Amino acid sequence: MKKQILTIVIILCSFSAIGQNIDNDFYPIFKDSLIYNQRLTKDITPPPPPADIDSEKLNTLCRWSIDSISQTYIPNNQMLTKYIKVNFHFYIHPTLKGNFDEIDDNDTNFIEPYSAYDFINEILNYSDEYFSNNDTMHFQLPNSPIQCIKDTKIRLYNAGVYFHYDTIIQNLIFPYRWNKPEYSVNPYYEINVHFMQYNPNPTYNLTSMATLAGIREVIFNGVWENYYKIYQSICGTDTSLNLNLRHYAQQCIARILNHEILHNFELFHTIVEGRDDMDYVEDTPTLNQMSAAYGTNYSACTNPDSWCSNNLMDYANLGIALTPLQLGRVHYFATELIPQYINWDLSSNADLYIKDSPSDTGTVPSSDAICWNSPDVWIERMNGDTLSNPIGGEQCFVNVRIHNKSKYQTSANNETLSLYWSKAGVDMLWPNDWNGSTFFRCGERRGGFIGSVIIPTIQIKGETIVKILWTPPMPSDYEDCTEFGSDKWHFCLAAKIDGGNDPLNINYSNMGAMTVWNNNFAWKNLAIDDPTIDSKVPGGLIAFSKPLGYDGWLKLKFKAKKSKEQGYITDVAEVRLKLSQELYAAWTKGGKQGIAIKDMGKNEIMILDSTAELNNIYLGSGQQEFILAQTYFLTQKPSPTNTFEFDLFETFADDKIVGGESYIITKHLDGLKAIASNDKVIVKGEEVELEALSVEQNASYVWYNNEQAIDTTLSLSTYPESNTNYVLEIVKNESGNKDYDTVNVVVKNGRINSITPNPASEIITTSYKLSNTITSAFIRIKNINGLIVSNIPVDILLNEKQIYLGNVSSGSYVLELVSNTEILDCKTFIKL
């Protein structure tokens, strides 16, 4: 008797609203119809399962609640991230227009080239973003709030992209591919996703489908057409060069793909009209609960009603929320029933990353759009001294700090760190401009490979620093490459982690996308100038060109970064950009359009504000030009800092970033540097002592509060009543040079000093301090789910409390010090 496969068909409707915030406003509307026990056109016997596949588990269909099992598989910090293996198939007619291929999306309205590989990379990037940033459900069950588990511990792994050309259109059109099971690759070990040619039959219009049992597959009807229609419904009649809106369409398809893949792992629809408890999961609302809560039939809920379910598995409003029991159900199936669909080698290994910015935590995509100044990459002399920039012909070390993001020690399983260099520019392409395969018009190489090393074992949540030896090229080699010479032309570095169990699976030619969408890839693009080292005007040279395949306008943007004391370089200096003659001519041809700039003549532009831009720059194909940025400090405008930072970056006409260059400019202040105490946290009523680091005998020290001088000694003792900033000013009496430092003092009403022992078995002692304004307080203990375990009053005249833990279960807890409704402080502890 043949095993028959249950399928789910999802009919996509058009968008009804446009939203700038994808998570809040941009929701496709779905309608569902279920098709059971058939393969749509005729019953086809799939290939027999291999001997190592458990057919009973493969064909298990849990049309009942398994919450008691799912509960033990709810993701936590210790759970492995599971990488689901997915193959992607594109069905292409050799002469008819439609669908993606290896080179193109077959639509001349879009910026080219944009191939099936680019499409899959983009979809998987958004898929991972949604799975790693799970939403809280809008609807909360009565007396049982739905907890949000931020990281679902689910990812999709690109196991392969395949193309099927056929002159018989019926073999390419949905749903007839089901007559061609041989097109699937490793169907018992990898989920196959089929992007079919479009079938205009209304029964299948805008349809996607997934199997719930047996061989796991997903089918889309006309992905190219769906992608185009989704795009067109947003853009209206304007379909020219609007990449941002195209990305909205890709985000939508990524959500649909996630939805269908989770069907493969036994998630049903949460709410379906005519069925009350469709998904057999207790922590998702039923149709009756939703209707009762809002006083209307839930089937009437449509985009953009704010109370619509935002669950990923809902039929009416596709969000990205998944409940704990939904996730537990998926992880149960992935672990116990169909583990062959998981890449366990990748799932069990640590996740390595290099920071794109100081705030980067290894999430994908990284949050900082200015991603070309990694703090984890720096240059060091052979004697160990740090260098701002490499010196041509002089051997140095490139240092790269690598972090282990997961709670698993790395295995040193052939993961490699590779380094590349390139001459600085806002226009660089990966990998050609970095591997020595491109040249400037003077004949010199744009960049080259530096070297690679095996990454040593990195402990849980640990890091390591890897050094690679490098001898940079001589600046004189590039003297004839530009009309500005070569002395101010700095280098850029790219660091890539690859191989072993942390492979680099996604490659973009755009350096910005390559960096943001790979946590194991970093870009160091830094120009630093110090007039004490170089007597010439501080600045630096960068390249500017048109990216391959793009035929629109370009922009050059300037953005100054606030210094610690809130100053901009444009407040104290003139920043001027000298354009190469041809670049200036290209900008002139576009009408000399810009914001916050002044044309000074002779190819020179002056920046007038902390943000500025040159617009409508049109270069010819392959045309490469240059920009020399220079800064002139104004002596009559003293600055509270001696270091300033700004970025120059190139964008497409739609503001999507091509690349950028960071400049750090140092004003000569005779080495003066004000250093005060670190920031402080105190309890109201406590004395705080602030100290200044002595510079030299012949210097003055002044402490300020609210711009009022309050002390002129090295040490300041004070009793602040509220959060206060203290500014230290140091003046060299000989030169009049001045520098500042700021100490932030945070004043709290209470503080937990310690919890001992930690971990503890029976009793803990917490030491605390309360301000003299507190009249009552208590200690509250919560479990990791946020549920209150106990409330214990404390004596405000004491500073210590013993707490008996005999009735507390083993696990991690949060201890809060509370007064009335105010949480004064909190710390975590572990009950053994």
Side-chain angles (χ1 to χ4, degrees):
M1 181 176 178
K2 297 175 182 175
K3 294 279 188 181
Q4 293 180 313
I5 298 175
L6 172 65
T7 63
I8 289 185
V9 173
I10 299 193
I11 310 298
L12 289 143
C13 297
S14 62
F15 296 108
S16 61
I18 299 175
Q20 294 302 313
N21 185 329
I22 184 73
D23 291 327
N24 294 328
D25 303 313
F26 186 80
Y27 291 104
I29 304 172
F30 283 79
K31 294 187 183 299
D32 298 292
S33 61
L34 304 182
I35 299 178
Y36 297 98
N37 301 322
Q38 54 180 308
R39 249 182 124 77
L40 293 184
T41 55
K42 63 180 180 179
D43 197 11
I44 298 296
T45 303
D52 61 334
I53 297 297
D54 188 325
S55 296
E56 183 177 350
K57 290 183 178 180
L58 180 71
N59 290 288
T60 296
L61 183 62
C62 288
R63 288 180 57 80
W64 61 85
S65 174
I66 56 170
D67 287 355
S68 59
I69 301 174
S70 301
Q71 187 74 38
T72 63
Y73 288 87
I74 293 174
N76 55 39
N77 290 336
Q78 287 72 42
M79 177 179 280
L80 296 174
T81 298
K82 296 177 179 62
Y83 289 82
I84 302 171
K85 296 177 290 184
V86 185
N87 292 313
F88 298 93
H89 301 264
F90 291 87
Y91 292 79
I92 306 165
H93 193 282
T95 59
L96 297 179
K97 181 180 178 180
N99 220 332
F100 297 85
D101 58 29
E102 299 96 320
I103 301 172
D104 199 3
D105 65 355
N106 294 302
D107 179 12
T108 56
N109 285 320
F110 292 136
I111 294 172
E112 310 298 346
Y114 188 73
S115 68
Y117 301 111
D118 297 317
F119 173 75
I120 293 302
N121 282 341
E122 223 167 68
I123 296 303
L124 290 182
N125 287 335
Y126 289 126
S127 168
D128 283 357
E129 179 183 0
Y130 298 141
F131 276 142
S132 60
N133 291 282
N134 189 30
D135 269 355
T136 303
M137 283 193 67
H138 296 163
F139 184 88
Q140 298 291 299
L141 293 169
N143 305 318
S144 179
I146 300 173
Q147 302 298 319
C148 176
I149 296 174
K150 198 66 176 174
D151 188 347
T152 66
K153 299 291 183 176
I154 299 167
R155 303 290 189 273
L156 301 187
Y157 171 76
N158 184 359
V161 179
Y162 302 89
F163 302 89
H164 307 287
Y165 289 85
D166 202 323
T167 57
I168 302 175
I169 192 66
Q170 191 153 334
N171 290 337
L172 306 174
I173 292 181
F174 178 93
Y176 302 110
R177 197 228 61 84
W178 287 66
N179 289 326
K180 294 285 184 181
E182 70 273 13
Y183 284 1
S184 294
V185 176
N186 298 325
Y188 287 99
Y189 302 94
E190 297 166 357
I191 294 175
N192 286 269
V193 176
H194 305 276
F195 297 129
M196 307 298 297
Q197 288 278 331
Y198 178 59
N199 185 343
N201 186 323
T203 303
Y204 307 122
N205 187 31
L206 295 177
T207 303
S208 60
M209 179 172 61
T211 57
L212 281 156
I215 294 174
R216 275 19 181 213
E217 291 187 298
V218 173
I219 293 183
F220 286 82
N221 176 24
V223 164
W224 180 87
E225 291 86 353
N226 291 4
Y227 145 86
Y228 182 78
K229 287 183 178 180
I230 293 170
Y231 175 87
Q232 193 173 41
S233 70
I234 302 170
C235 298
T237 58
D238 177 15
T239 58
S240 60
L241 307 180
N242 203 325
L243 287 178
N244 285 341
L245 294 182
R246 184 182 73 194
H247 292 325
Y248 288 166
Q250 312 309 49
Q251 290 169 329
C252 167
I253 294 172
R255 293 187 185 197
I256 301 168
L257 177 62
N258 287 359
H259 176 106
E260 299 294 354
I261 292 292
L262 293 185
H263 278 322
N264 292 150
F265 284 82
E266 272 294 318
L267 280 194
F268 295 84
H269 295 127
T270 55
I271 301 171
V272 175
E273 187 175 3
R275 298 176 176 85
D276 189 33
D277 192 9
M278 178 63 189
D279 67 343
Y280 317 107
V281 177
E282 290 300 320
D283 64 357
T284 58
T286 67
L287 177 64
N288 287 342
Q289 286 173 321
M290 291 291 288
S291 298
Y294 296 106
T296 183
N297 190 324
Y298 180 75
S299 62
C301 176
T302 58
N303 179 46
D305 291 342
S306 61
W307 59 269
C308 287
S309 168
N310 62 326
N311 194 283
L312 179 62
M313 303 309 295
D314 189 20
Y315 83 109
N317 199 28
L318 192 63
I320 60 170
L322 291 164
T323 66
L325 287 179
Q326 282 181 303
L327 293 174
R329 187 177 178 105
V330 172
H331 283 282
Y332 165 65
F333 262 77
T335 303
E336 304 297 342
L337 297 183
I338 49 172
Q340 65 270 21
Y341 287 105
I342 304 300
N343 185 331
W344 292 104
D345 287 339
L346 187 61
S347 296
S348 61
N349 198 62
D351 184 3
L352 304 179
Y353 73 96
I354 307 169
K355 289 186 176 184
D356 294 335
S357 65
S359 61
D360 188 9
T361 59
T363 57
V364 177
S366 55
S367 58
D368 197 341
I370 297 178
C371 59
W372 44 80
N373 190 11
S374 169
D376 284 342
V377 182
W378 69 96
I379 300 165
E380 189 177 86
R381 290 183 185 271
M382 300 300 289
N383 64 2
D385 293 341
T386 299
L387 269 175
S388 298
N389 276 289
I391 299 174
E394 181 179 298
Q395 272 196 331
C396 61
F397 284 111
V398 179
N399 291 347
V400 180
R401 181 181 288 107
I402 302 171
H403 306 264
N404 179 3
K405 187 173 185 286
S406 77
K407 290 194 174 183
Y408 299 93
Q409 174 181 299
T410 65
S411 60
N413 186 23
N414 295 320
E415 291 92 1
T416 61
L417 173 71
S418 298
L419 277 174
Y420 304 81
W421 68 270
S422 178
K423 276 297 197 178
V426 294
D427 60 343
M428 291 176 288
L429 299 176
W430 176 262
N432 294 356
D433 290 341
W434 300 83
N435 61 14
S437 62
T438 59
F439 297 80
F440 293 112
R441 57 193 174 207
C442 60
E444 292 296 326
R445 292 184 184 275
R446 176 94 190 232
F449 175 65
I450 297 175
S452 61
V453 295
I454 299 294
I455 299 172
T457 299
I458 306 179
Q459 300 299 318
I460 297 170
K461 296 294 184 181
E463 61 183 48
T464 190
I465 296 175
V466 176
K467 298 176 182 285
I468 295 181
L469 191 65
W470 179 36
T471 303
M474 294 293 293
S476 57
D477 294 341
Y478 296 85
E479 186 172 357
D480 298 327
C481 293
T482 79
E483 58 202 72
F484 303 114
S486 61
D487 58 321
K488 289 291 185 180
W489 198 353
H490 299 282
F491 293 98
C492 307
L493 297 169
K496 173 171 70 79
I497 298 170
D498 202 0
N501 287 329
D502 196 4
L504 185 72
N505 294 316
I506 301 172
N507 276 282
Y508 282 103
S509 60
N510 181 295
M511 277 294 291
M514 184 70 184
T515 306
V516 167
W517 287 103
N518 287 288
N519 67 0
N520 48 355
F521 186 93
W523 184 5
K524 182 71 170 184
N525 189 344
L526 183 63
I528 300 179
D529 258 290
D530 187 339
T532 63
I533 299 173
D534 188 346
S535 60
K536 296 184 179 180
V537 179
L541 181 69
I542 56 173
F544 184 99
S545 64
K546 177 180 289 187
L548 293 175
Y550 178 69
D551 195 33
W553 298 102
L554 295 167
K555 297 181 181 180
L556 174 66
K557 295 193 176 187
F558 169 92
K559 183 177 182 181
K561 184 178 180 180
K562 285 186 177 180
S563 69
K564 183 179 179 182
E565 293 79 14
Q566 307 304 307
Y568 294 101
I569 192 170
T570 47
D571 296 331
V572 296
E574 287 185 358
V575 179
R576 300 194 180 198
L577 306 179
K578 286 189 175 182
L579 311 184
S580 63
Q581 291 185 8
E582 292 301 321
L583 182 59
Y584 184 82
W587 179 61
T588 301
K589 184 178 179 180
K592 290 188 175 182
Q593 296 187 27
I595 299 173
I597 59 168
K598 182 178 181 180
D599 185 0
M600 306 299 293
K602 296 183 179 180
N603 303 350
E604 189 172 61
I605 308 298
M606 186 164 73
I607 303 297
L608 301 179
D609 204 349
S610 58
T611 60
E613 57 186 66
L614 276 69
N615 298 328
N616 284 17
I617 303 171
Y618 188 85
L619 299 179
S621 178
Q623 183 177 352
Q624 188 172 64
E625 299 302 330
F626 300 91
I627 303 164
L628 178 62
Q630 295 183 301
T631 55
Y632 299 83
F633 282 96
L634 305 174
T635 57
Q636 299 304 312
K637 292 186 177 182
S639 59
T641 182
N642 65 340
T643 300
F644 299 87
E645 185 172 350
F646 64 85
D647 290 278
L648 288 177
F649 48 101
E650 177 180 346
T651 76
F652 295 110
D654 65 352
D655 295 322
K656 181 181 179 183
I657 292 176
V658 177
E661 173 85 5
S662 292
Y663 291 81
I664 296 179
I665 308 295
T666 303
K667 181 181 178 182
H668 183 38
L669 290 176
D670 298 329
L672 178 64
K673 178 67 176 177
I675 301 177
S677 303
N678 293 330
D679 292 345
K680 304 282 188 179
V681 178
I682 66 169
V683 173
K684 184 183 292 186
E686 280 187 324
E687 180 183 24
V688 61
E689 293 189 0
L690 308 179
E691 293 187 352
L693 180 66
S694 177
V695 176
E696 58 182 41
Q697 289 183 351
N698 192 18
S700 302
Y701 303 84
V702 182
W703 292 94
Y704 292 90
N705 177 227
N706 292 327
E707 300 183 352
Q708 298 295 317
I710 58 174
D711 204 295
T712 57
T713 61
L714 283 173
S715 299
L716 169 66
S717 297
T718 182
Y719 294 85
E721 290 295 309
S722 60
N723 296 347
T724 306
N725 296 333
Y726 296 92
V727 178
L728 168 68
E729 173 194 87
I730 302 180
V731 180
K732 275 194 173 182
N733 296 332
E734 302 149 337
S735 64
N737 286 335
K738 183 185 296 185
D739 199 17
Y740 296 87
D741 196 14
T742 301
V743 181
N744 301 311
V745 179
V746 176
V747 181
K748 304 175 69 172
N749 282 320
R751 178 180 65 232
I752 300 173
N753 295 320
S754 64
I755 300 174
T756 56
N758 189 6
S761 56
E762 296 294 333
I763 296 175
I764 58 171
T765 299
T766 177
S767 170
Y768 59 90
K769 183 174 180 61
L770 297 170
S771 76
N772 53 17
T773 62
I774 298 298
T775 57
S776 66
F778 64 94
I779 288 173
R780 180 163 60 203
I781 296 177
K782 293 180 178 178
N783 63 21
I784 59 174
N785 293 320
L787 298 178
I788 297 174
V789 174
S790 60
N791 291 317
I792 304 120
V794 299
D795 191 331
I796 62 171
L797 299 179
L798 301 179
N799 57 14
E800 191 173 274
K801 180 70 174 180
Q802 283 192 340
I803 301 172
Y804 177 64
L805 302 177
N807 295 326
V808 178
S809 302
S810 298
S812 297
Y813 293 86
V814 177
L815 186 148
E816 297 176 342
L817 182 62
V818 184
S819 177
N820 296 323
T821 60
E822 180 186 2
I823 299 175
L824 306 179
D825 201 0
C826 66
K827 288 185 181 295
T828 60
F829 70 94
I830 297 174
K831 168 62 164 52
L832 298 175

